[in-house]
Amino acid sequence: MNKRSVRLPVGAGLAALLLAGGAVSCGKGEEAADKSPAMTPAAAVAKVAKKSEQITSLHYRMKGSIPGQGRIEAEADMRMKPETAMSMKMFLPGKTDLPMEVRLIDKAIYVDGGEDAAKEMDGKNWIKFDLSGTEAGKQLDQMGGLGAASQAEQSPTAQSNILAGADDVKKVDTATVDGVRTTHYRGTISVDDMDKPAFTKNGVTEEQRRKAVEQYRTMGVDKLTMDMWVGNDDRMKQFRMRADADKGPMDMTFTVLDYNKPVKVTAPPAGKTADLAEMLKGLQDA
């Protein structure tokens, strides 16, 4: 197998890792969010962050652009409790003609490279990313290949809780999102503010805060603009995050289709899977 045959799956794997870290805890509502006049926009957003702790799984779709990856569309089922798992169908407009499947299970990412990958890997179309604690993983981090690998283990509620830490949260308007009437909120927050221990008081754990800061620093992001559309059940129906990064703009929108439904994810057959760590070791030996 040559180096070229690895590039598309590696890029797709990174995009999947970023999506896993950027997924948000959302919910569906039936009527417009009816907030008490005494509840400020900041309090309303904080209430959403608090309630997100009850979410165990999400079925969502997303669309937007990732710095260094370009346009991307996907639909995914993700489980956060008792352990993180995800199954995603991802489409990269202009780069691939068919959706690419990505799975996260047992702290490993599996990317389906399709027929092209199978031709290069003796009939194996799946590539496994499980590089934690290996020298190959350190080298790939330096290459920028899987620098955000730890984001895959981060709770999808982390990004939504970040908005609760913004000082300028405001109500924008009301809108119908995917058939659900919602209240639209917006706020901005700097990565410098996020990089302070006091930020954990906003419902973000110290581990979530640290990982989020690491991710955005790596991407070259200084400030985030976040929009949240909330249903009357105090759960988000839609979430948008925008920022300028070193490799271009980031603009991702997540729309939740369902939540707290059973999610089952299985690893691909071993006979159809090639381990990236072993592949890189073979290249090193050569």
Side-chain angles (χ1 to χ4, degrees):
M1 184 195 66
N2 57 44
K3 294 183 180 180
R4 183 179 178 184
S5 64
V6 183
R7 289 177 182 170
L8 178 59
V10 168
L14 174 58
L17 291 167
L18 292 173
L19 295 183
V24 293
S25 63
C26 310
K28 57 182 181 179
E30 299 300 330
E31 303 294 338
D34 183 18
K35 304 299 178 186
S36 166
M39 181 173 288
T40 65
V45 170
K47 188 175 182 180
V48 174
K50 179 63 177 178
K51 194 167 184 178
S52 69
E53 298 173 2
Q54 304 170 11
I55 296 176
T56 60
S57 65
L58 293 171
H59 176 201
Y60 66 93
R61 64 170 178 261
M62 56 75 53
K63 187 175 183 180
S65 59
I66 297 178
Q69 296 293 325
R71 297 289 303 173
I72 189 167
E73 300 174 10
E75 186 164 332
D77 288 293
M78 188 170 190
R79 181 181 72 228
M80 292 84 77
K81 300 176 182 179
E83 69 282 329
T84 304
M86 179 181 68
S87 176
M88 174 184 291
K89 291 292 182 67
M90 182 169 58
F91 177 63
L92 307 175
K95 294 184 178 181
T96 59
D97 297 328
L98 298 174
M100 182 176 297
E101 184 175 357
V102 179
R103 299 179 190 176
L104 167 63
I105 183 71
D106 295 332
K107 297 183 179 182
I109 294 284
Y110 298 86
V111 180
D112 185 359
E115 294 181 358
D116 291 340
K119 292 177 182 178
E120 298 287 345
M121 300 188 299
D122 299 325
K124 298 179 179 181
N125 57 295
W126 288 92
I127 295 182
K128 178 182 178 181
F129 298 78
D130 188 7
L131 307 177
S132 57
T134 67
E135 186 61 30
K138 294 178 182 178
Q139 292 183 4
L140 205 56
D141 282 346
Q142 295 171 0
M143 295 163 52
L146 286 176
S150 62
Q151 288 297 307
E153 299 178 27
Q154 189 173 185
S155 167
T157 63
Q159 298 296 344
S160 64
N161 290 350
I162 287 174
L163 179 57
D167 294 328
D168 61 349
V169 178
K170 63 181 179 180
K171 176 181 175 181
V172 179
D173 54 24
T174 57
T176 299
V177 178
D178 200 34
V180 176
R181 297 186 63 196
T182 66
T183 300
H184 176 190
Y185 299 96
R186 177 177 295 155
T188 60
I189 191 162
S190 71
V191 177
D192 285 341
D193 286 341
M194 201 184 306
D195 195 12
K196 297 176 181 178
F199 194 78
T200 57
K201 69 181 181 180
N202 301 305
V204 178
T205 68
E206 176 61 22
E207 182 70 5
Q208 289 171 342
R209 182 191 68 79
R210 184 186 64 78
K211 288 184 176 181
V213 169
E214 180 182 353
Q215 175 189 8
Y216 295 127
R217 294 285 194 213
T218 300
M219 295 171 66
V221 170
D222 295 323
K223 183 175 71 173
L224 295 159
T225 298
M226 299 182 173
D227 291 81
M228 179 190 297
W229 288 261
V230 183
N232 75 320
D233 55 359
D234 298 314
R235 296 195 191 279
M236 286 190 297
K237 176 62 181 175
Q238 187 164 274
F239 183 75
R240 183 184 184 190
M241 56 192 305
R242 291 169 287 163
D244 291 325
D246 287 345
K247 294 184 179 181
M250 176 180 69
D251 189 346
M252 302 297 301
T253 298
F254 301 82
T255 304
V256 167
L257 308 178
D258 216 335
Y259 67 100
N260 290 350
K261 296 295 179 66
V263 173
K264 183 178 181 181
V265 182
T266 59
K272 292 290 185 180
T273 302
D275 191 304
L276 183 60
E278 296 179 1
M279 292 158 54
L280 293 180
K281 186 177 184 302
L283 291 175
Q284 292 173 349
D285 293 342

